[in-house]
Amino acid sequence: MRYLLVLLAFLPSFSYANSVMLDDALRATYTACIGIDDQLSDMKRLAGINTAVTAVGTVAGAGATATGLAKANKDAKQAQLEKILKELQMAEDARQKTLTDVQMSELEREYQVMDGILLGLENNVVQIKSKTLAQIQELENQSKKLGNWRTGLLAGATATNVAGAVIAGTNRVDADLHTQVADCIKSVNALKNAMLSARMSGVDISEAQTIVDACDDYEYVDLSKIDTRATGALVSSGVGAGTGAIGTIVSAVANTNATRADNTDAGRKREQNLNTTANVLSAGTTVATTTATVFNASQISAIKRVASVAEKCTGVLR
C-alpha cells in the first residue's frame, strides 16, 4: 500500500513531464517540416516553365523539319526544270524555232510533274524557254525563303533547348531540401514516441495524432525521382541545343548565295548534301526537344506527388 501511495504521488509529475515532452516534440516537428511545400512549389513552377519552353522548341524543330522537306521538294522541281532548260537551250542553239511533235510529247511528259505549266503554249522554243525560266526563278525564290525560315526555326529551337538545359540543371532537389525532409521524418518519429508516453499519462494527444497522420507519408516519398527526370531533361535539352546549333549553321551555309550560285555538279551535290544534313539535324533536334518536354512533364508529376504530402503536412501545422 505504501508503494502504491508513493507511485500515485508521482503520477502528476510524470504526466507533466510527458506533456512537456510532447510539446517539445510538436515544436520540433513544426520547425523541421514547415516550409518544405514552399520549396516544392517553386520547383513545380520552374518545371512547368521548362515544359512550356521545350514545347515551344519542339514546335520550332518540327516546323524546321517540315520547312526543310518543303524546300527539298522545291529544289527537286527546280533541278528538273533546269535539266529541261538545257534541252531547250540545245534546241535554240541548233536554230530550232519549234519543237517536233516527238520532242513536245517528251517535254510534256517531263512537265507533267510540274503541274502542267505548258498548258496554252505552242511548240515555240522561245516561249517554252521563257516560261521555264520564270518557273525556275519562282522556285528559286520560294526555296530561298523556305531556307531562311528553316534557319530561323532551328535557331529558335536551339535557344529554347539552351534555356531548357539551364532550367533543368538548376531545378533539382538541393542538399537543404534533402536534409529538411530527413529531419521532418526524424521529428515525426520522435513525435510518435512522445505520443506513446503521453497517452499512458492521460495527456491529450489528438493534435499530435493529426500531425502524424498528415506528415507520416514523408517516410515514403522518393526525392530521387525528381532529380532523375531533371537529369533526363538536361541531357535531352543539351543534345537538342547541340544538334540545333549545328543545324542552324549548316542551314545558313546551304542557303547562302555563294552555295546556291554554284551550278557545277560538285556545287549542286554540296548544296544537296548541306540541305539533307540540315533536315536530318532538324529532325534530331525535334526528337531531343520532345524527349526533354516529356521529362519536364514527368518531373512535374514527381514533384506533385511529394508536394501533395508537403501541402497536407503544412496544412495541419499552420
Side-chain angles (χ1 to χ4, degrees):
M1 176 65 72
R2 183 177 60 183
Y3 292 116
L4 179 60
L5 291 174
V6 172
L7 180 61
L8 290 173
F10 275 101
L11 278 178
S13 298
F14 286 141
S15 178
Y16 176 75
N18 288 329
S19 178
V20 171
M21 186 185 302
L22 182 64
D23 288 342
D24 289 342
L26 284 169
R27 280 192 293 270
T29 302
Y30 176 86
T31 302
C33 298
I34 201 74
I36 294 177
D37 62 324
D38 291 333
Q39 296 186 61
L40 290 168
S41 178
D42 290 339
M43 292 185 68
K44 186 166 61 177
R45 179 179 56 82
L46 280 176
I49 291 172
N50 209 10
T51 302
V53 167
T54 51
V56 170
T58 299
V59 172
T65 303
T67 301
L69 293 175
K71 181 183 184 303
N73 181 261
K74 299 291 183 185
D75 291 342
K77 287 184 176 182
Q78 183 178 339
Q80 185 181 16
L81 276 180
E82 287 175 346
K83 178 184 176 183
I84 294 171
L85 183 64
K86 286 183 180 179
E87 296 174 5
L88 292 169
Q89 187 61 52
M90 288 172 61
E92 192 175 44
D93 290 343
R95 300 182 183 277
Q96 184 178 352
K97 294 183 179 179
T98 59
L99 297 177
T100 66
D101 289 341
V102 174
Q103 288 175 313
M104 194 65 180
S105 295
E106 179 64 20
L107 202 61
E108 285 174 345
R109 184 186 66 78
E110 294 176 336
Y111 263 104
Q112 191 174 8
V113 187
M114 308 309 299
D115 304 322
I117 62 173
L118 290 184
L119 292 176
L121 294 180
E122 300 296 334
N123 293 24
N124 187 286
V125 173
V126 174
Q127 287 183 341
I128 297 173
K129 181 182 175 183
S130 175
K131 183 71 174 179
T132 304
L133 281 169
Q135 185 71 7
I136 287 173
Q137 188 57 54
E138 182 180 349
L139 288 168
E140 173 72 17
N141 293 338
Q142 291 173 349
S143 176
K144 180 77 173 177
K145 185 180 295 184
L146 288 168
N148 288 335
W149 287 353
R150 179 183 61 190
T151 302
L153 287 167
L154 270 170
T158 302
T160 57
N161 273 289
V162 170
V166 171
I167 296 173
T170 56
N171 198 30
R172 307 173 69 87
V173 180
D174 59 22
D176 288 343
L177 184 54
H178 272 293
T179 300
Q180 188 171 4
V181 170
D183 288 345
C184 180
I185 293 171
K186 190 184 301 180
S187 68
V188 170
N189 288 332
L191 181 58
K192 291 178 186 177
N193 293 331
M195 285 169 60
L196 290 174
S197 300
R199 184 187 289 113
M200 293 176 61
S201 301
V203 177
D204 181 15
I205 62 168
S206 57
E207 180 185 0
Q209 187 64 58
T210 301
I211 292 172
V212 168
D213 290 342
C215 302
D216 200 30
D217 286 343
Y218 272 121
E219 189 82 46
Y220 310 105
V221 301
D222 188 357
L223 296 176
S224 66
K225 290 184 178 180
I226 297 175
D227 286 349
T228 299
R229 286 153 178 76
T231 299
L234 173 62
V235 172
S236 299
S237 290
V239 171
T243 56
I246 297 171
T248 302
I249 295 170
V250 172
S251 179
V253 172
N255 214 40
T256 59
N257 291 331
T259 300
R260 299 179 69 92
D262 188 350
N263 290 322
T264 64
D265 289 341
R268 288 185 178 280
K269 186 66 175 175
R270 177 173 178 269
E271 181 183 357
Q272 184 180 16
N273 289 340
L274 286 170
N275 280 310
T276 300
T277 301
N279 290 341
V280 170
L281 289 168
S282 294
T285 302
T286 304
V287 171
T289 314
T290 300
T291 304
T293 304
V294 172
F295 273 118
N296 286 324
S298 63
Q299 188 189 34
I300 294 175
S301 297
I303 294 171
K304 280 183 176 179
R305 283 192 287 272
V306 181
S308 64
V309 176
E311 288 168 5
K312 183 171 67 171
C313 179
T314 302
V316 300
L317 291 173
R318 285 178 175 167

